[in-house]
Amino acid sequence: MTRFLSFITIGLVALPAALTAQDISDQVTTFTLENGMEAVVVEDHRAPVVQHMVWYRAGSADETAGVSGVAHFLEHLLFKATDTLEAGELSATVAANGGTDNAFTSYDYTAYYQQVAADRLGLMMEMEADRMKNIRLTDTDILNERNVILEERNMRIENNPGALFSEDLSAAQYLNHHYGIPVIGWKHEMEQLDMEAVMAFYELYYSPNNAILVVSGDVDPDEVRALAEETYGKIPANPNLTERARPQEPPQRAARRMVYEDPRVARPTLRRSYLAPERNPGDQRTAAALELLSEVLGGGQTSYLNERLQFEEKKVVYAGTYYSGTSLDPTTFNVIVMPVPGVSLEEAEASLDAAMADFMAEGVDPDHLDRIKSQLRAAQIYERDSVDSIGNRYGRALTSGLTVEDIQAWPALLQEITPEEVMAAAELVFSADQSVTGWLVRPGGDEAGDEAEEVTQ
């Protein structure tokens, strides 16, 4: 999942009054069908386009032990045949109607979407409701698509030392919670995924009372509700669905360290991960402070760590931080530095530690914080021009346990956070006892060759 945000910094401090006053809360309608399916409709009549999304409160962190990757595997398989559609027919129908479709899986959710002309919404609902309960898989489907996801893992993970490093770092951070298991799955468990594992996950979680419908674009809420009742409303709720219960982390009592060596490493990298609180319903102030902290410390070229380590000391070619509080359970705050050639990771880490200590002593520059707030506000306003961005914002938050009210309160809350709250959040998170520090290096040392290659997260 992408957790880096970059913002245009010129001309954003004084936003036009028309933009700062804009609010979409009166364009959001919610309702719940009798079978428990929740729905959110966000109106935007500027273009005759609609995005139709179905989000399931089921991701890789909801998998049972031994079947890692089954949530993502099932996502692939939902494009196969149903009672009324041939394999691939859903996507072909979307394309024939001038639209696009896809799906994605994360730790806390799986989502399916189509973006089409607004008058095609009913057709999209019919097809999506069909595959909610009526997929018809064969043993050949299982075998062929399992090979597809294994090849996907080979391409994205096995052939990428940065991705392998990230997997091991997450596993070291989360000893018990399933956030320490990759969304795509461990390879040895992916190889054993079968029909039984897939159908068990499907039959439990793919039900209307575990789903959220998010429709954004040129639509009328009453018409959306009528279409939803005609399609999704006919599907019975699953009475066997239980509350999401996941293994939680035991207290971390000591700092953890790891070194990942790979001859393919082109750029030595240091990454430090801290356990951090997530956004919680009705209690988002600490998460808002952490989001601002991430921008202050490593959110761009003018951030504290880049000014110090890249431009003043010239020790690193990159310094960054990222935090994403939109998760069901405790998340992480991450710091990354890549030293310049000739500077060892040991030296880079010492410089990072000194910079972090100075930041904790100096505190947040209020003017810098105000500029960041303006940048965030502008980004949130311009996001409204995209039905995709709006749909994703609501879907990710709702499947992570937040409410519509929390989502709508978030932009204003970010503007309220004080420098003192940002530093209090830093004090809460930056404890060595809840950290993992990892080095990504070549065997025999942390110096890379002359060639430049991006190390992806």
Side-chain angles (χ1 to χ4, degrees):
M1 282 184 306
T2 303
R3 296 188 175 187
F4 295 99
L5 293 176
S6 60
F7 301 100
I8 299 172
T9 59
I10 299 175
L12 297 182
V13 174
L15 293 172
L19 290 182
T20 56
Q22 185 181 357
D23 187 7
I24 64 168
S25 58
D26 60 348
Q27 299 167 358
V28 178
T29 303
T30 63
F31 59 86
T32 302
L33 301 180
E34 289 185 6
N35 58 15
M37 187 173 188
E38 298 176 22
V40 177
V41 181
V42 185
E43 296 178 73
D44 183 349
H45 301 289
R46 289 176 291 177
V49 176
V50 64
Q51 179 153 293
H52 167 257
M53 310 188 79
V54 172
W55 296 74
Y56 293 95
R57 294 185 183 89
S60 65
D62 298 293
E63 297 164 344
T64 56
V67 293
S68 65
V70 71
H72 174 252
F73 188 27
L74 178 58
E75 174 217 309
H76 278 239
L77 291 166
L78 244 71
F79 291 87
K80 301 299 183 181
T82 70
D83 284 349
T84 61
L85 297 170
E86 297 295 329
E89 187 178 349
L90 187 150
S91 293
T93 301
V94 174
N97 281 273
T100 59
D101 76 313
N102 213 326
F104 47 89
T105 306
S106 190
Y107 292 110
D108 297 316
Y109 53 76
T110 308
Y112 302 82
Y113 71 91
Q114 302 86 34
Q115 193 172 118
V116 293
D119 61 359
R120 303 295 195 274
L121 178 59
L123 175 60
M124 300 302 109
M125 286 191 178
E126 289 177 11
M127 294 190 296
E128 197 66 73
D130 182 32
R131 67 175 171 179
M132 181 181 283
K133 279 299 178 188
N134 299 324
I135 59 169
R136 294 294 175 260
L137 301 175
T138 66
D139 290 337
T140 299
D141 291 332
I142 296 293
L143 178 61
N144 290 344
E145 207 61 36
R146 190 170 63 198
N147 288 335
V148 169
I149 61 170
L150 285 167
E151 182 57 27
E152 182 180 348
R153 181 178 169 89
N154 286 335
M155 293 175 60
R156 294 186 177 184
I157 310 296
E158 303 294 339
N159 292 326
N160 186 336
L164 291 168
F165 170 62
S166 293
E167 276 194 348
D168 282 6
L169 193 83
S170 292
Q173 180 75 85
Y174 291 102
L175 299 184
N176 197 47
H177 196 286
H178 286 186
Y179 286 168
I181 300 173
V183 172
I184 198 170
W186 297 120
K187 186 174 182 179
H188 68 284
E189 293 184 348
M190 294 168 66
E191 292 171 339
Q192 303 301 317
L193 291 175
D194 56 17
M195 182 78 77
E196 181 181 359
V198 167
M199 293 307 297
F201 197 86
Y202 177 69
E203 290 170 357
L204 177 61
Y205 291 116
Y206 279 58
S207 300
N209 51 325
N210 198 46
I212 301 168
L213 171 67
V214 180
V215 178
S216 52
D218 187 22
V219 292
D220 175 84
D222 291 336
E223 293 178 1
V224 173
R225 180 165 192 156
L227 290 171
E229 289 174 344
E230 292 173 8
T231 52
Y232 300 111
K234 297 177 180 178
I235 305 172
N238 180 4
N240 298 318
L241 188 67
T242 59
E243 292 292 326
R244 300 171 87 172
R246 297 163 164 185
Q248 297 297 307
E249 281 297 291
Q252 183 176 339
R253 297 184 175 89
R256 300 167 187 161
R257 299 188 66 88
M258 58 166 283
V259 177
Y260 185 88
E261 295 184 345
D262 194 305
R264 300 169 296 178
V265 171
R267 179 73 64 188
T269 301
L270 181 152
R271 177 174 155 192
R272 182 172 294 155
S273 171
Y274 297 91
L275 283 174
E278 76 282 16
R279 290 168 62 183
N280 288 309
D283 181 18
Q284 303 183 95
R285 291 196 76 90
T286 299
L290 287 171
E291 179 153 321
L292 291 168
L293 174 65
S294 179
E295 292 300 319
V296 168
L297 268 181
Q301 292 296 300
T302 61
S303 66
Y304 185 91
L305 290 180
N306 268 295
E307 288 278 3
R308 169 80 171 258
L309 300 179
Q310 184 175 2
F311 299 115
E312 293 179 14
E313 298 183 5
K314 296 180 172 54
K315 293 288 182 66
V316 307
V317 295
Y318 172 80
T321 58
Y322 64 91
Y323 165 80
S324 176
T326 309
S327 64
L328 188 64
D329 295 316
T331 182
T332 56
F333 189 106
N334 289 263
V335 183
I336 298 178
V337 296
M338 295 180 180
V340 300
V343 173
S344 68
L345 282 177
E346 183 177 12
E347 186 178 355
E349 183 171 355
S351 295
L352 171 65
D353 289 341
M356 295 283 283
D358 288 346
F359 173 78
M360 297 302 293
E362 296 166 8
V364 176
D365 179 350
D367 291 336
H368 187 197
L369 183 60
D370 286 342
R371 289 194 296 272
I372 287 171
K373 288 180 178 180
S374 294
Q375 295 162 13
L376 288 170
R377 179 61 174 157
Q380 290 159 351
I381 290 169
Y382 295 126
E383 180 190 66
R384 298 170 186 169
D385 291 333
S386 167
V387 293
D388 179 66
S389 295
I390 289 293
N392 275 274
R393 176 151 61 95
Y394 277 86
R396 284 192 171 95
L398 292 171
T399 50
S400 298
L402 298 171
T403 66
V404 169
E405 291 74 23
D406 293 322
I407 299 165
Q408 294 175 345
W410 181 251
L413 182 59
L414 287 171
Q415 301 302 312
E416 296 174 6
I417 299 300
T418 65
E420 291 76 19
E421 287 179 289
V422 173
M423 295 310 299
E427 291 280 359
L428 175 68
V429 169
F430 294 152
S431 167
D433 289 347
Q434 56 189 19
S435 71
V436 179
T437 301
W439 287 10
L440 175 64
V441 297
R442 285 186 171 186
D446 60 8
E447 290 300 319
D450 294 332
E451 71 276 14
E453 181 178 324
E454 181 181 2
V455 178
T456 57
Q457 166 62 30

